[in-house]
Amino acid sequence: MRVTKHEHACLRLESEGRQLIIDPGSFTLPLDDLHRLVAVVLTHEHPDHWTPEHLRRLRDYSPGVPVYAPAGAAAVAAEFDPITVAPGDTVAVDPFTLTFHGGRHNVIHESIPVIDNVGVLVDDAFYYPGDSYAVPEDADVRLLAAPIGAPWLKIGEAMDFVLAARPRRAFGTHDMTLSRIGLDMHRARLKWATEQNGGEFVVLDPGESVEL
C-alpha cells in the first residue's frame, strides 16, 4: 500500500491499482491522477475535511463512487448519498478493508458543539483518527497519520496519542494552520513520541508518499 499526503488532512491510499481518498477539504488543492477510485472517507463534517466541490470532482472521475461518513457528515453531505458509518463498523471496498473507531470530535471550546468523528483503520495497518485522539484497540499500527496542528490540538496531548498508538512509523498531518517554524517544532515532538516505542517518524510534505 502507498500512502500519499496531500495538503492539510487529505490522504490518498493506493493498493493493487485502486485508490481510496480520505478527507478532501477546503485547504486541499484539487486532486489529479485519479484512477480506479473505489471509495471516499469523510471523518467528520468540518469544511477543512470535505467540500462539495471536491466530492463533485471525485464523482466526475468515478461516477457513483461510495462516500463513507459518520452521521453528522452524512447529513450535511446528503446530496452525495453518503453511507453512514459508526465506530465498530467494518466495510470492504476491494482491495481495502476499513474499520471505524472513536465517535466524537475533540473539544475545541465549550461554546462550540462537539460533532461526530470517526477514525479509520485501513487493512489493519494504516490509521488516521480524524480530529480526535481515538486509538484503535488491539491494533498493530504500522503507519499512523498523526494530527499535528489544529485549534483543538495541544502538542503534549498529540504526543500522548502517538505514545498510546505505538506505531511502527508515523507522519504528521492536519498541518496547514502551522507556520514553517511551528510545523518543524511539532514534527520534532511527534518524532520523539514515535521513537519512544521503537518507531520511525517520517517527514512528508504535500505530494510525498510512503510505502507500507
Side-chain angles (χ1 to χ4, degrees):
M1 185 195 304
R2 172 181 293 176
V3 179
T4 301
K5 182 196 181 313
H6 292 280
E7 293 84 5
H8 198 55
C10 184
L11 303 161
R12 182 198 310 253
L13 280 62
E14 300 174 83
S15 180
E16 299 180 20
R18 296 175 177 87
Q19 297 188 1
L20 167 72
I21 300 295
I22 302 173
D23 281 359
S26 57
F27 299 155
T28 302
L29 295 175
L31 299 170
D32 57 11
D33 194 27
L34 291 162
H35 57 273
R36 301 185 73 183
L37 180 64
V38 297
V40 180
V41 172
L42 311 180
T43 61
H44 62 284
E45 65 197 72
H46 286 158
D48 59 324
H49 291 256
W50 86 283
T51 68
E53 294 77 15
H54 272 301
L55 290 189
R56 290 188 191 110
R57 193 175 294 111
L58 293 171
R59 282 275 173 87
D60 285 343
Y61 277 103
S62 184
V65 66
V67 176
Y68 296 94
V76 298
E79 69 176 280
F80 300 98
D81 296 319
I83 300 166
T84 301
V85 291
D89 288 349
T90 297
V91 173
V93 282
D94 187 35
F96 304 100
T97 299
L98 317 177
T99 60
F100 296 94
H101 302 268
R104 303 299 283 168
H105 192 288
N106 259 39
V107 174
I108 300 172
H109 185 263
E110 62 182 9
S111 65
I112 300 174
V114 179
I115 60 171
D116 295 328
N117 178 94
V118 289
V120 58
L121 179 67
V122 182
D123 293 347
D124 291 322
F126 169 77
Y127 183 61
Y128 170 57
D131 281 10
S132 80
Y133 295 133
V135 176
E137 294 184 8
D138 302 320
D140 178 15
V141 179
R142 292 169 53 196
L143 180 65
L144 174 69
I148 202 168
W152 51 268
L153 187 149
K154 178 180 177 181
I155 194 59
E157 294 172 349
M159 293 165 69
D160 285 340
F161 165 69
V162 174
L163 289 168
R166 302 175 65 91
R168 300 189 204 178
R169 286 188 291 174
F171 65 92
T173 189
H174 206 287
D175 53 10
M176 291 294 282
T177 60
L178 296 176
S179 68
R180 182 77 246 180
I181 292 171
L183 177 59
D184 289 342
M185 181 178 68
H186 285 204
R187 281 172 169 171
R189 299 299 186 188
L190 295 195
K191 179 177 185 291
W192 176 89
T194 305
E195 291 174 347
Q196 298 315 294
N197 291 305
E200 174 192 9
F201 188 82
V202 180
V203 172
L204 292 183
D205 288 318
E208 295 182 339
S209 304
V210 61
E211 301 277 353
L212 271 76

